[in-house]
């Protein structure tokens, strides 16, 4: 660029800034729309060239205007998008530093707190915070010191927008990565978030928690109870994420309590079966209600089936873990679960899991056959997945009242 062209560009930029300073909200919004449409995706050097190396002067004006007006929300979405153009140029952190020095992080977090903020605006604010976090450890610390973890978690629990929920989880995951000072705080926040009401948010939280857990050397024991409670969800995608996390936790010191708790879920207390914490409001698939006999115990039975499935997946291809589960009396509990004629999936999952243990430990076969009887056992060996069709009330009562004690048998095999 020649000297004359450079001088002309400076004059153009100064005219732009004067127009901004003199313009009302409507004029500024018009200027921002033009800025966003013309500059999305530009690098730091391209913006500096366009703004005659004083782009920071416009960023400061933009940040100040947003800080003074965000509570009204009129032009907030546009302000956030324009700010994002500056923060996306992370190959050079000058704009990011200036934004932080001007209180940008606190403004974004306050946007998340404001009741009048729209879901798209919250999602955009979270994206900007994610850009800050992704810039490096010292920026993550700034967000966390500003109560970013707490505010993000609260935003996630209150939101019904998938976009907001996904971005909030992405931010929490980013803040935890390479940030040892705040890693445990984020880990605890994610565990607490497993109790959130939105099924989609719960699924995302479980996935994020799984990612964070893989980076930790230990697992907190109080992760077990809320995680197993998630197995009551009537949404299969939520259950799948929960089971994936359970499979991860077998490598940690919570393994004994996790396994014993899963086995116990196969035989829920009678009072829970009669007076459960009903979550039927979460069901969107009416066919599910039609398919399963409703007794008011559906979440408990769903949890029972999920526990049987989780135990099977834990035991697959792991003889040591299988033996550990077997020593907890799982055989008796699986037979009990197979007698639950009020929930077909519980019967199916229990049958398939018991089939795995019978195949892995042939010495328990005769004990299982003694409970089932030769006819039912033959059907079990032929196709465990359809065994429920052979179980009538009499056979169900026999399974429910079984007294098999495999731990004693196992001791004799050692």
């Amino acid at each position: 660029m020649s000297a004359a062209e450079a001088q002309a560009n400076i004059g153009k930029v100064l005219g732009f800034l004067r127009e901004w300073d003199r313009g009302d909200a409507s004029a500024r919004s018009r200027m921002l729309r033009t800025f966003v449409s013309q500059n999305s995706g530009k690098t730091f050097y391209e913006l500096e060239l366009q703004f005659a190396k004083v782009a920071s002067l416009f960023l400061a004006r933009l940040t100040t205007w947003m800080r003074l007006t965000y509570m009204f929300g009129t032009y907030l979405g546009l302000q956030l998008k324009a700010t994002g153009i500056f923060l996306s140029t992370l190959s050079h952190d000058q704009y990011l530093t200036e934004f932080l020095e001007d209180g940008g992080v606190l403004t974004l977090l306050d946007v998340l707190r404001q009741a009048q903020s729209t879901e798209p605006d919250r999602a955009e604010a979270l994206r900007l915070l994610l850009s800050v976090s992704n810039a490096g450890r010292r920026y993550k610390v700034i967000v966390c010191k500003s109560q970013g973890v707490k505010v993000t978690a609260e935003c996630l629990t209150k939101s019904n927008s998938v976009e907001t929920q996904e971005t909030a989880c992405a931010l929490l995951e980013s803040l935890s990565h390479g940030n040892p000072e705040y890693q445990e705080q984020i880990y605890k926040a994610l565990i607490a978030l497993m109790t959130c009401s939105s099924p989609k948010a719960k699924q995302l939280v479980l996935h994020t928690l799984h990612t964070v857990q893989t980076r930790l050397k230990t697992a907190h024991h109080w992760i077990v109870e809320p995680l197993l409670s998630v197995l009551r969800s009537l949404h299969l995608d939520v259950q799948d994420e929960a089971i994936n996390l359970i499979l991860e936790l077998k490598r940690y010191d919570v393994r004994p309590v996790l396994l014993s708790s899963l086995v116990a879920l196969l035989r829920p207390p009678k009072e829970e079966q009669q007076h459960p914490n009903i979550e039927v409001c979460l069901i969107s698939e009416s066919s599910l209600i039609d398919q399963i006999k409703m007794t008011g115990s559906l979440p408990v039975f769903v949890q029972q089936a999920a526990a049987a499935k989780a135990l099977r997946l834990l035991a697959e291809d792991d003889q040591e873990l299988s033996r550990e589960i077997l020593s907890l009396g799982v055989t008796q509990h699986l037979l009990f679960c197979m007698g639950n004629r009020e929930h077909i999936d519980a019967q199916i999952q229990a049958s398939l899991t018991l089939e795995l243990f019978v195949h892995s430990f042939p010495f328990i076969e005769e004990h299982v056959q003694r409970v089932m009887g030769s006819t039912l056992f033959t059907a079990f060996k032929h196709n465990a997945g359809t065994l429920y069709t052979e179980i009538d009330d009499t056979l169900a009562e026999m399974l429910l009242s079984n007294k098999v004690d495999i731990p004693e048998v196992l001791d004799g095999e050692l």
Side-chain angles (χ1 to χ4, degrees), residues 292-307:
I292 302 172
K293 181 180 178 181
M294 291 296 295
T295 64
S297 304
L298 181 58
V300 176
F301 294 156
V302 166
Q303 185 185 40
Q304 185 185 39

Side-chain angles (χ1 to χ4, degrees), residues 131-151:
S131 293
V132 174
S133 177
N134 286 341
R137 178 176 173 179
R138 70 188 184 99
Y139 299 109
K140 299 176 195 289
V141 170
I142 290 172
V143 175
C144 292
K145 281 186 175 180
S146 304
Q147 294 191 318
V149 175
K150 178 182 177 182
V151 174

Side-chain angles (χ1 to χ4, degrees), residues 386-406:
T386 61
L387 184 67
Y388 70 93
T389 61
E390 306 290 335
I391 299 175
D392 57 21
D393 287 341
T394 301
L395 291 173
E397 183 59 34
M398 178 183 63
L399 293 169
L400 291 170
S401 59
N402 86 89
K403 302 297 182 182
V404 169
D405 191 357
I406 294 300

